[in-house]
Amino acid sequence: MLDRRHALTLLALLPWRGTARADGTGGDPFRSLQWPDLKREFFGSAQVVFDERVQVRAPAFAEDPMNVPVSVAALGLPDIERIVVFVDRNPIRKVLEYQPLAALASVGLRFKLEQASPVRAAARTKDGVWHVGGAWVDSSGGGCTVAGATRKDGSWSQTLGQVSGKLFPSSPMPEANGVSGASRLRVRVMHPMDTGLVGGIPAFYVNKLSVRDGQGRELLRLATFEPVSENPVFSFDFPGRVAGGLRLVGTDNNGNRIDSRIE
């Protein structure tokens, strides 16, 4: 007999596009009872399709539920305007919104996971259709309701808003998806990213980030939410080489500004 995780893994491997089942979950491959509400919440009346071209890679089991790595790539879809990452069973479901602008439709990050759940990405193309992919991540839980390390030791105030980053001449994610000659930007922003779900600690998190080139042109735009991990690290991919002199600018929900040069 298959255990729950293996059964859900097999379900995830079934063809997604055009899937339709009258099972009360709206044809969701994970049979998630949350899916119909999520669909209404995030997409309203827009057309939504399950699509294997939206690739979500995450560990089968979250060893550290406060730092779960996930990568999203939708390189097989044309004209993507926005990508949304969300978690069915988190108390705060939305993780981030990403607008690639001059970047590729791929992003890597770490997030907090409260309990075992489907982790999803939805990519909206210019025709207004949302294409949804996902992965099942098992977990012992509690990632959203525990204070981070820098909050516990008090060091967050000394490093708040500090940025480090590096440009790499190649990117492993695009190469795996048939895109050649891409480069990668990896950045870290020091911030406690408090969810507001720990007693006595209000929500305090980075909410906007933007990468700009030396001429001030915006290359990508990111809206981040409480489930993003403490001291968040993001990876972005670009079609071809990107010159140095980039800037990462943004804010947190308390109005603190982030502004740093990346060589």
Side-chain angles (χ1 to χ4, degrees):
M1 181 178 292
L2 292 174
D3 62 24
R4 176 181 175 81
R5 187 176 71 182
H6 290 158
L8 287 164
T9 300
L10 288 174
L11 287 172
L13 294 175
L14 293 174
W16 282 30
R17 291 169 60 192
T19 300
R21 294 177 182 272
D23 60 359
T25 68
D28 177 37
F30 295 106
R31 309 294 189 266
S32 171
L33 295 176
Q34 290 82 18
W35 172 247
D37 288 337
L38 287 165
K39 184 179 177 183
R40 285 189 292 270
E41 177 183 351
F42 287 107
F43 314 121
S45 59
Q47 182 180 354
V48 180
V49 295
F50 296 113
D51 194 330
E52 70 274 9
R53 292 174 293 179
V54 180
Q55 300 173 8
V56 179
R57 291 187 171 89
F61 182 82
E63 295 183 1
D64 180 358
M66 297 184 70
N67 290 282
V68 184
V70 63
S71 63
V72 175
L75 302 175
L77 284 167
D79 301 323
I80 291 177
E81 297 181 328
R82 185 184 301 266
I83 293 175
V84 179
V85 179
F86 55 100
V87 181
D88 289 32
R89 298 181 180 179
N90 264 6
I92 302 170
R93 290 166 164 173
K94 186 181 285 188
V95 178
L96 63 78
E97 294 187 15
Y98 174 48
Q99 293 175 263
L101 302 179
L104 292 173
S106 62
V107 60
L109 66 144
R110 291 177 179 266
F111 70 99
K112 309 180 190 88
L113 183 64
E114 184 64 16
Q115 59 181 303
S117 176
V119 178
R120 305 185 194 256
R124 188 182 72 192
T125 46
K126 283 187 177 180
D127 58 6
V129 177
W130 287 95
H131 303 257
V132 180
W136 175 270
V137 181
D138 208 346
S139 176
S140 57
C144 295
T145 51
V146 178
T150 60
R151 176 62 72 178
K152 289 177 180 177
D153 65 22
S155 63
W156 66 270
S157 60
Q158 282 75 53
T159 60
L160 184 70
Q162 292 180 5
V163 174
S164 58
K166 185 175 181 179
L167 277 167
F168 296 90
S170 62
S171 172
M173 184 183 295
E175 289 293 343
N177 288 272
V179 176
S180 60
S183 56
R184 169 161 290 193
L185 171 65
R186 183 178 173 91
V187 296
R188 181 178 68 171
V189 181
M190 301 301 290
H191 202 284
M193 299 299 290
D194 299 310
T195 62
L197 302 175
V198 179
I201 304 176
F204 182 41
Y205 58 96
V206 175
N207 59 0
K208 294 179 182 178
L209 290 172
S210 172
V211 173
R212 301 175 185 177
D213 65 15
Q215 289 71 50
R217 182 173 66 115
E218 195 172 28
L219 303 180
L220 63 89
R221 188 180 303 154
L222 198 67
T224 52
F225 300 90
E226 298 94 321
V228 173
S229 291
E230 177 185 30
N231 300 329
V233 176
F234 302 101
S235 296
F236 308 105
D237 300 304
F238 296 91
R241 298 293 295 271
V242 179
L246 301 180
R247 298 196 72 85
L248 181 72
V249 299
T251 60
D252 67 23
N253 67 320
N254 280 5
N256 296 301
R257 296 190 62 81
I258 297 163
D259 191 341
S260 183
R261 186 178 176 88
I262 302 169
E263 297 297 339

